[in-house]
Amino acid sequence: YNDKRNECQQTAVRFRFMRGETTMANCRLMSKEQDYQKLHLKKDAVELWEDGKRDDDRKGAVEWWYFDAILDDGSKIAACYSTKIQPFMNQSGTHPCLKFDLTTPDGKQISKRVTKFPKDQISFSKERCDVRWGENCFTGDLHTYHIKAAPVDGYGFDVTLESESSPWRGETGHIGFEQNDEKYFTWLCVVPRGKVTGTMTIGGQQHKITGSGYHDHQWGNTTQFEFLNHWLWSRQGTNDHSLLVFDFVMNEHYGYKRIPLVFVEDKNGKVIFQSSDNVQCEIEEESYQADCETNFPKVTKYTFHDDDKTLHYTLIVKQILDSRYIYKQMPFFLRGLFHGTKPKYGRYLAHGSFDLEQNGTVIHDESDLIYEFAYVGEEYKKYMETR
């Protein structure tokens, strides 16, 4: 019933647009001087408190701290510490969920989800990142982090992440929706690239690990099912550079507005390129993912511009790390949470290469990376490619 109701509501909105009875809703990257003042942010610096708890636990608000790593032995980690799991989005209070995915050196993929923690062992800090849920933690100071997922069925990790880069946010990091930005969604890239050391537990056996890692922090009072057509997110670290892309394309309600956030830092953490508009994109090749019953990008080419600088970036999928038809995995009675959409998701190991051009000189770099594609709309390609 909920599926049918939401599909009918979306169809009604489309007809109203066609008849000119309504206008596109507002959507913008918040970048005005008054936005910084309202949010108590500095333009040129990320402060310690920004990685602390930023939102409250009111109905509709959600927040998460994310970590991933590509390790020297070929294994991978991706972990999300979220203040709410999906069925509780429309309830007040904290309903923590720790989800982590491990890929072993031989390619085996393990996914674990923990939602039950002693209430007296759930804590956060607003002054800094300090998330503690039972034996699990995500704590740090913008430079050094301790991240732990206590073993579940013999699988877990306990690592230190030491930043080799600088925190970055696109303008205020807030995307505002509706007339007065009453809805918002955020991205703070805290550790674009860092050194990972520690242990991973596989099948009950603890192994020492080293590698490269990443951490970001997001929060908001709207979900991707309400505003998104799709997004592509990639993070890449080489010996000399860190590159991040978060390419948002909104849904029909917001006129398929695009907000592409991208930056490149050198090995000293200095930003050498950044942009939040002026992008061209081409999907050179797609691949069919049976788990999601649809095509996803396989070879993606971007061109970003910033004044006299041009960044060419190519992503080529090497391995699927996670492929989910989220809509079909959700129990029937909860599918109404998706607002009539049928979301799908992929996370990949890929190879990325870029060329940064300025005044006749070219900086080239490349490496493997992890990227994800969140696919909420029924069609992505014509909205993702330059139109």
Side-chain angles (χ1 to χ4, degrees):
Y1 169 78
N2 283 333
D3 289 347
K4 195 65 178 177
R5 181 190 63 187
N6 284 307
E7 287 172 9
C8 289
Q9 288 174 343
Q10 284 205 334
T11 300
V13 168
R14 284 194 288 269
F15 278 126
R16 290 199 298 273
F17 272 116
M18 292 169 63
R19 293 197 301 261
E21 295 178 8
T22 188
T23 58
M24 288 187 302
N26 183 61
C27 170
R28 70 184 183 102
L29 178 62
M30 297 173 67
S31 58
K32 298 177 181 179
E33 184 63 35
Q34 55 264 41
D35 295 326
Y36 283 92
Q37 293 174 2
K38 175 183 176 181
L39 297 166
H40 308 290
L41 298 173
K42 295 181 179 178
K43 271 197 172 185
D44 302 319
V46 174
E47 298 181 285
L48 182 62
W49 65 269
E50 294 185 53
D51 201 22
K53 197 166 189 293
R54 298 292 298 276
D55 228 317
D56 58 24
D57 297 320
R58 70 194 185 284
K59 177 180 177 180
V62 66
E63 186 165 7
W64 64 85
W65 293 260
Y66 173 83
F67 161 73
D68 72 32
I70 299 177
L71 303 170
D72 295 332
D73 64 1
S75 55
K76 292 121 190 135
I77 301 172
C80 185
Y81 296 66
S82 177
T83 60
K84 290 181 183 178
I85 56 177
Q86 192 56 246
F88 295 101
M89 274 294 298
N90 291 321
Q91 295 185 23
S92 60
T94 301
H95 306 275
C97 176
L98 166 56
K99 184 181 185 303
F100 63 91
D101 299 288
L102 307 180
T103 303
T104 64
D106 60 2
K108 181 181 178 182
Q109 297 177 21
I110 300 99
S111 181
K112 298 298 178 181
R113 187 170 179 260
V114 186
T115 59
K116 294 182 179 180
F117 308 93
K119 288 186 177 181
D120 61 350
Q121 296 180 29
I122 298 172
S123 67
F124 305 89
S125 170
K126 291 185 177 181
E127 283 71 43
R128 56 180 285 167
C129 178
D130 192 358
V131 179
R132 299 177 187 271
W133 301 343
E135 298 180 69
N136 310 282
C137 68
F138 201 133
T139 67
D141 59 5
L142 300 185
H143 181 268
T144 303
Y145 285 81
H146 178 208
I147 308 167
K148 178 181 179 180
V152 178
D153 302 326
Y155 294 91
F157 62 88
D158 189 344
V159 302
T160 297
L161 172 66
E162 297 178 85
S163 181
E164 300 173 313
S165 52
S166 300
W168 184 89
R169 52 173 148 71
E171 299 292 354
T172 64
H174 284 62
I175 297 174
F177 299 93
E178 306 306 326
Q179 191 63 37
N180 299 306
D181 307 311
E182 53 264 37
K183 292 185 178 182
Y184 55 89
F185 189 80
T186 64
W187 180 47
L188 172 64
C189 184
V190 186
V191 180
R193 179 187 62 180
K195 178 183 177 182
V196 173
T197 56
T199 60
M200 179 188 290
T201 302
I202 301 174
Q205 299 296 313
Q206 196 175 84
H207 306 269
K208 289 186 177 181
I209 54 173
T210 59
S212 175
Y214 165 90
H215 158 46
D216 69 18
H217 180 190
Q218 293 183 263
W219 62 98
N221 63 354
T222 183
T223 68
Q224 59 264 44
F225 314 120
E226 296 180 81
F227 67 81
L228 192 69
N229 187 70
H230 66 270
W231 78 37
L232 184 148
W233 165 88
S234 72
R235 72 97 173 162
Q236 184 166 355
T238 71
N239 290 331
D240 296 318
H241 299 95
S242 303
L243 183 151
L244 270 292
V245 174
F246 213 153
D247 184 18
F248 294 87
V249 177
M250 309 310 168
N251 60 23
E252 181 184 45
H253 182 62
Y254 296 103
Y256 298 105
K257 181 178 176 64
R258 184 178 214 148
I259 298 179
L261 304 177
V262 57
F263 71 95
V264 182
E265 292 181 352
D266 65 16
K267 61 183 177 182
N268 299 312
K270 179 183 177 182
V271 175
I272 59 175
F273 180 91
Q274 59 184 329
S275 180
S276 58
D277 56 16
N278 242 334
V279 60
Q280 290 88 46
C281 181
E282 177 185 359
I283 307 301
E284 195 168 88
E285 186 178 344
E286 292 182 300
S287 62
Y288 183 78
Q289 290 181 205
D291 291 345
C292 297
E293 302 176 14
T294 193
N295 287 324
F296 276 72
K298 186 174 182 180
V299 180
T300 306
K301 292 189 174 182
Y302 280 106
T303 300
F304 301 96
H305 301 280
D306 179 29
D307 294 331
D308 61 343
K309 299 178 182 179
T310 300
L311 177 69
H312 302 282
Y313 186 45
T314 299
L315 282 165
I316 303 174
V317 171
K318 295 178 64 175
Q319 179 188 2
I320 297 175
L321 302 178
D322 191 1
S323 181
R324 283 179 279 149
Y325 200 152
I326 299 172
Y327 173 81
K328 287 196 172 181
Q329 290 179 340
M330 186 66 75
F332 177 79
F333 62 91
L334 291 176
R335 291 179 180 176
L337 296 169
F338 297 140
H339 299 272
T341 66
K342 296 182 179 180
K344 311 163 188 71
Y345 171 84
R347 182 186 293 120
Y348 309 91
L349 175 67
H351 188 78
S353 61
F354 74 84
D355 292 284
L356 177 56
E357 301 175 357
Q358 184 181 23
N359 300 327
T361 64
V362 178
I363 298 173
H364 174 84
D365 212 342
E366 58 185 281
S367 70
D368 284 352
L369 66 129
I370 290 176
Y371 92 88
E372 69 178 24
F373 195 88
Y375 188 0
V376 177
E378 290 300 315
E379 183 178 5
Y380 81 91
K381 192 174 179 181
K382 74 176 183 179
Y383 303 112
M384 186 174 184
E385 292 191 318
T386 304
R387 334 186 265 288

